Amino acid sequence: MKHSIGSYPRVRVQDDGRQVVSQPGSVLLVETVRKTGLDQAISQALAPWRKPRAVHDPGKALLAVALGGDCLADVAMLRCEPPVFGPVASDPTISRLIDTLAASGEKSLQAIRSARAEARGRALPLAGKNAPDADGQVIVDLDGVLVIAHSDKEDATATWKKTYGHHPLTAFLDHGPGGTGEPVAALLRPGNAGSNTAADHITTAQLALAQLPKHYRRGQQTLIRTDSAGGTHDFVSWLARRGRWLSYSVGMTVTEAIHEHVLKIPASAWTPAVETDGGARDGAWVAELTGKLLHGCPKGMRLIIRKERPHPGAQLRITDADGMRITCLATNTPDQPIAQLELRHRLRARAEDRIRAARATGLRNLPLHTTAQNKVWLEIVQIALDLLAWMPMLALTGKARLWEPRRLRFRPFSAAAQLVTTSRRRILRLAQHWPWADEITDALERLALLPIPG
């Protein structure tokens, strides 16, 4: 007679394992830091705030956040593996560094941002055809995000969703359909900050442009996309100001005047909307508004209207018409079919994926108390997200380039491995049965071919 032993095999646990490494796949991030020169850039930028005899690299905390840490104490996961990550500062040392940087205010933040821009200037050319500017254009998406506070923190207030916390405004550099995206700006704001605040959008756009190579900081080759929160006259005028000439694709609120013009559009003026594969989008049409409605608007601005059958269960708004959901966008891109321009704006939804990745990489909450401290934390989160975007861009291929942080942590980063030291060399032996071991080794080979800066 056979007796059931349960759904899982029984194993005996001992704590005497030797030469076993946890999180061995994170060597991909270590190599990415080395090839982009991020470690050198951060160390040089923070040199004024380090003690003369300091021996620990202040950038080590970035890897902890990239691996899933959501507070400063999570750097302990790196401290446990000195053969892979080297010496790591203690928790009190890291906390004192954060306090020192926070006390310096914008001066320290600007130093960190300059280091990020320097490393980004190296990472993008290394990517070749995988770079976000491979087609000669860069796309920056601006979007707000609510960060819930579970305790009393400085500037944490009630939000428009009746929660409690902060309302940062973020900007992400889109890598296109074959990749993910990287953050280029994050403006920490109180929870009650307005969604349509033009001054905040201008400040965030300025921070984002400063992260790009100089030839992308003005001109039509840089496209700024926002939802209707950025659809203000002041912000659009700033984007199109003479000497800046940035391209934009901005969602607009359907006003009463726009609604009246939509009702007058003849049926022959509507064009079927399109999908990414070039086919027609079922139940959706687009048209362009012209005439006196554009009086007073920036030169070259175009208003594009889309009407679409609402999804089952969706409620219509007062600005909708004839049972159709009405949306509007403004752009200054000339000589392109309105269906393609509307599709380009709709792809702005990829920013929501970037926000989901940010929440999984330290933005689920702001762990520190003061606003100055949390501004430094927000920079740490952005650099961690940079690494998680640059590593797939430089080292992974195919669908693996689309892996978000959670999947990276469960697949390549968490592989089992053994560290062997022989002939003064350290060799990391990955488990042969791990399905993604080849992804790790192939990625490391691609990174090894890249030049080391300086």
Side-chain angles (χ1 to χ4, degrees):
M1 181 177 180
K2 294 183 179 181
H3 297 278
S4 173
I5 61 173
S7 302
Y8 300 96
R10 291 186 177 182
V11 296
R12 183 174 296 176
V13 179
Q14 297 178 346
D15 60 354
D16 57 354
R18 298 179 180 178
Q19 296 181 327
V20 178
V21 178
S22 61
Q23 301 289 335
S26 57
V27 295
L28 292 169
L29 296 179
V30 175
E31 287 301 311
T32 303
V33 169
R34 183 178 291 113
K35 296 298 184 178
T36 59
L38 182 61
D39 52 345
Q40 300 175 15
I42 291 293
S43 296
Q44 293 174 4
L46 299 186
W49 292 275
R50 295 178 65 187
K51 293 183 178 180
R53 296 184 180 180
V55 296
H56 294 290
D57 184 357
K60 291 289 180 68
L62 310 176
L63 292 178
V65 178
L67 291 174
D70 59 4
C71 65
L72 295 176
D74 287 334
V75 77
M77 73 173 73
L78 307 183
R79 196 179 300 118
C80 297
E81 299 295 349
V84 179
F85 302 107
V88 179
S90 64
D91 291 352
T93 300
I94 294 178
S95 295
R96 286 194 296 268
L97 176 62
I98 297 299
D99 291 340
T100 302
L101 296 175
S104 298
E106 287 298 321
K107 186 177 180 180
S108 61
L109 295 178
Q110 184 56 43
I112 297 174
R113 291 164 183 163
S114 298
R116 292 178 56 208
E118 180 181 345
R120 198 182 317 279
R122 296 193 187 106
L124 297 186
L126 291 176
K129 64 179 182 180
N130 293 333
D133 61 342
D135 59 352
Q137 184 183 53
V138 294
I139 300 177
V140 177
D141 293 316
L142 273 61
D143 206 348
V145 54
L146 294 180
V147 180
I148 306 301
H150 299 282
S151 61
D152 191 20
K153 293 182 173 64
E154 186 179 1
D155 285 337
T157 60
T159 70
W160 61 276
K161 277 196 173 182
K162 299 182 179 180
T163 56
Y164 181 79
H166 298 81
H167 187 192
L169 187 58
T170 60
F172 294 91
L173 182 61
D174 187 24
H175 285 197
T180 55
E182 57 191 273
V184 285
L187 181 66
L188 185 59
R189 306 187 299 170
N192 58 1
S195 298
N196 295 95
T197 306
D200 291 345
H201 280 78
I202 292 174
T203 301
T204 305
Q206 289 173 331
L207 294 175
L209 293 173
Q211 287 294 310
L212 302 179
K214 289 185 178 180
H215 59 282
Y216 286 123
R217 296 176 186 176
R218 63 182 63 194
Q220 295 288 322
Q221 72 275 17
T222 301
L223 173 67
I224 305 294
R225 291 190 303 201
T226 73
D227 56 9
S228 58
T232 60
H233 185 274
D234 291 343
F235 181 56
V236 173
S237 298
W238 182 86
L239 292 172
R241 184 172 298 171
R242 184 175 181 180
R244 193 170 289 117
W245 304 119
L246 296 171
S247 297
Y248 60 83
S249 182
V250 178
M252 302 294 288
T253 302
V254 179
T255 62
E256 183 177 353
I258 294 177
H259 186 257
E260 292 178 357
H261 279 73
V262 170
L263 297 178
K264 299 176 182 178
I265 298 176
S268 59
W270 291 99
T271 302
V274 297
E275 296 284 12
T276 54
D277 59 0
R281 182 176 176 87
D282 185 36
W285 297 265
V286 294
E288 183 172 0
L289 296 180
T290 57
K292 63 180 181 180
L293 191 64
L294 296 177
H295 290 173
C297 295
K299 183 179 179 180
M301 184 171 126
R302 304 171 68 184
L303 278 180
I304 299 175
I305 292 290
R306 183 187 73 178
K307 66 176 183 180
E308 186 174 18
R309 296 193 186 100
H311 300 293
Q315 295 182 350
L316 293 175
R317 298 167 295 192
I318 193 171
T319 54
D320 296 331
D322 299 329
M324 296 284 187
R325 174 62 51 84
I326 302 297
T327 56
C328 179
L329 71 96
T331 182
N332 61 345
T333 303
D335 305 327
Q336 284 195 23
I338 57 175
Q340 294 295 330
L341 295 176
E342 190 276 332
L343 172 63
R344 184 186 68 177
H345 183 77
R346 204 183 330 135
L347 294 177
R348 195 203 64 83
R350 283 199 288 257
E352 300 297 333
D353 299 333
R354 309 289 80 81
I355 291 176
R356 181 173 62 247
R359 291 185 186 278
T361 312
L363 200 59
R364 183 176 60 86
N365 61 69
L366 297 175
L368 305 173
H369 178 71
T370 68
T371 298
Q373 291 173 323
N374 283 321
K375 285 182 177 180
V376 177
W377 175 259
L378 203 55
E379 294 298 323
I380 294 175
V381 169
Q382 291 180 80
I383 303 176
L385 288 169
D386 284 337
L387 287 177
L388 292 172
W390 294 344
M391 189 276 291
M393 181 179 69
L394 298 175
L396 298 181
T397 60
K399 293 183 178 180
R401 284 194 62 217
L402 299 173
W403 288 351
E404 293 188 0
R406 290 184 182 274
R407 183 161 292 185
L408 288 171
R409 292 164 192 155
F410 278 111
R411 293 187 175 183
F413 294 167
S414 59
Q418 182 183 29
L419 186 64
V420 178
T421 303
T422 175
S423 300
R424 297 183 180 181
R425 292 187 304 171
R426 293 174 180 174
I427 301 175
L428 201 61
R429 293 179 175 174
L430 300 174
Q432 293 182 350
H433 68 274
W434 193 249
W436 304 281
D438 290 340
E439 294 281 359
I440 301 174
T441 55
D442 292 344
L444 287 172
E445 289 178 359
R446 296 186 188 97
L447 288 173
L449 297 176
L450 301 177
I452 298 178

